[in-house]
Amino acid sequence: TPWAAEAEAEVRRANALSATPHVTFHDTAGAALPRRRKTIDAFLIALGIDDSVAPNARALARADIPAEVSDARQERLVRAWEEHTQSLFRISDSTRGAKLWSSLPSAPEFLAAQQDFRRKLWEDVIGKLPTDYLPPNPRSRPLPPNAKWIGHEVMLDVLPDVFAWGWLLLPKDLKPGERRPVVVCQHGLEGLPEDVVTENREQRAWRAYKGFASELAARGFIVYAPHNPYRGKDAFRILQRKANPLGLSLFSFILAQHDVTTRWLAALPFVDPERIGFYGLSYGGKTAMRVPALLDRYCLSICSADFNEWIGKTVGIAWQNNYPFTGEWEMPEWNLGHVAGYAEMAMLIAPRPFMVERGHDDGVALDHWVGYEWAKVRRGYDKLRIGEHAEIEWFDGPHTIHGVGTYRFLHRHLSFTLR
């Protein structure tokens, strides 16, 4: 509970913002019933109810409903909400993306529908920030020496109070005047750029990431490992909650950060701007579905340890790892179930190459959920006659980078020979 003086000051500020002051303040903390009655009276009068018929405050304060009655009432309410949500979920698959899927296999018709669908996802679901970005004003400092690459920590301006930062790894055999492809390697929940870079097998981060950013730099790719702001336990979830009433979300900021970052990368003299790929694990895989779907500066995307029947994962109640039973309370996205699941997002990446990396023992999803959603993606790519641009690699392992088929995928579609 805030201090009374703080609450009263905020009321004064709210009234100052309105042509007609309309917020009243009653400090009833620790007050006897007569003082609380003033609040009840004000509420009833605002509803147009005569003060003389206002109920007795003592009666309102008395809890004389039997516990079994109130418990039963609460259960009925919860079951009703549950059934309403699940009924929406049951029809969502046939509702979302109808226009997008019906435009196949005509490539021109599909591309037109894709643009409209992309606008809807970004503006109506995720929320789009203004794109009048600040000059990036890059600042950097060197990372500790490494035998395979030269590293820089980089910070870029995006918008007032919004910045982007990450680690840039340059292979040591990069020649003057040479332009190479870039792989953007994205960490997962509570991660940092150093987590995808570390080659220390004693560190916890190694178990999930296998140092895939360092491995790709050793293979000769330029690598950028950006920081995404899903870190700090509930700190970033509160950012999501504050953004939602404004029609925004956490990914509104992440998209702006990647928009500025990829523009900056594309302008570097040693980068081939046509060959910037994305590879993310877990929450980085969540990023791999949303950011390349909306930013076409990424020429391909790899989703590792996250691809899923996402709507069921978010609102379903049939499995213990559905999000209603976990601590990730920020996961629901505005009307996403009736707009885009992961198959629809993948079709916004098309015709660019897209790949999924999936471990059988990954608790983020069930294999048959992944297969169900993947079948729609493969059908879409086949209908566009680009089936060779869509791949999935299943492996016998947990929630981790596997780094076998995905590395081949990067070398092939970024047209870069293993060094």
Side-chain angles (χ1 to χ4, degrees), residues 384-407:
L384 291 173
R385 307 292 186 266
I386 53 170
E388 71 280 1
H389 283 185
E391 292 186 33
I392 186 169
E393 182 178 49
W394 307 83
F395 66 95
D396 190 15
H399 191 75
T400 184
I401 292 288
H402 186 49
V404 179
T406 52
Y407 291 171

Side-chain angles (χ1 to χ4, degrees), residues 213-254:
S214 285
E215 171 61 25
L216 289 168
R219 288 169 174 254
F221 292 102
I222 295 169
V223 171
Y224 189 75
H227 175 260
N228 273 2
Y230 32 72
R231 189 163 63 94
K233 299 188 183 299
D234 276 359
F236 80 87
R237 295 185 170 101
I238 291 170
L239 174 62
Q240 170 94 322
R241 175 161 285 182
K242 288 181 175 181
N244 286 165
L246 304 177
L248 301 172
S249 67
L250 189 69
F251 272 93
S252 303
F253 303 96
I254 292 173

Side-chain angles (χ1 to χ4, degrees), residues 168 170 174 178-182 222 262 264-276:
L168 177 67
L170 302 177
L174 184 64
E178 183 183 10
R179 289 181 178 267
R180 289 196 190 177
V182 177
I222 295 169
T262 52
W264 172 74
L265 285 169
L268 294 175
F270 42 78
V271 167
D272 182 346
E274 302 300 318
R275 293 186 291 167
I276 302 177

Side-chain angles (χ1 to χ4, degrees), residues 1-12 25-29:
T1 302
W3 294 106
E6 293 177 347
E8 190 171 13
E10 193 70 2
V11 167
R12 287 197 301 271
F25 179 75
H26 294 276
D27 180 13
T28 60

Side-chain angles (χ1 to χ4, degrees), residues 50-117:
D50 189 340
D51 179 56
S52 64
V53 299
N56 183 281
R58 291 184 182 276
L60 289 175
R62 196 168 60 242
D64 53 5
I65 301 173
E68 61 270 18
V69 174
S70 60
D71 289 349
R73 178 186 296 166
Q74 183 180 45
E75 182 168 353
R76 287 197 305 273
L77 283 168
V78 171
R79 295 301 180 194
W81 293 333
E82 178 185 293
E83 176 53 32
H84 175 66
T85 303
Q86 298 310 301
S87 66
L88 290 175
F89 167 46
R90 286 191 289 270
I91 65 170
S92 65
D93 195 20
S94 59
T95 302
R96 63 180 175 265
K99 182 179 178 182
L100 187 71
W101 294 107
S102 65
S103 67
L104 297 170
S106 166
E109 187 179 334
F110 171 75
L111 292 173
Q114 190 186 48
Q115 291 305 311
D116 183 61
F117 202 85

Side-chain angles (χ1 to χ4, degrees), residues 19-42:
T20 305
H22 62 288
V23 185
T24 57
F25 179 75
H26 294 276
D27 180 13
T28 60
L33 282 173
R35 285 182 63 193
R36 295 186 179 219
R37 172 66 186 267
K38 290 175 61 178
T39 304
I40 296 168
D41 289 347

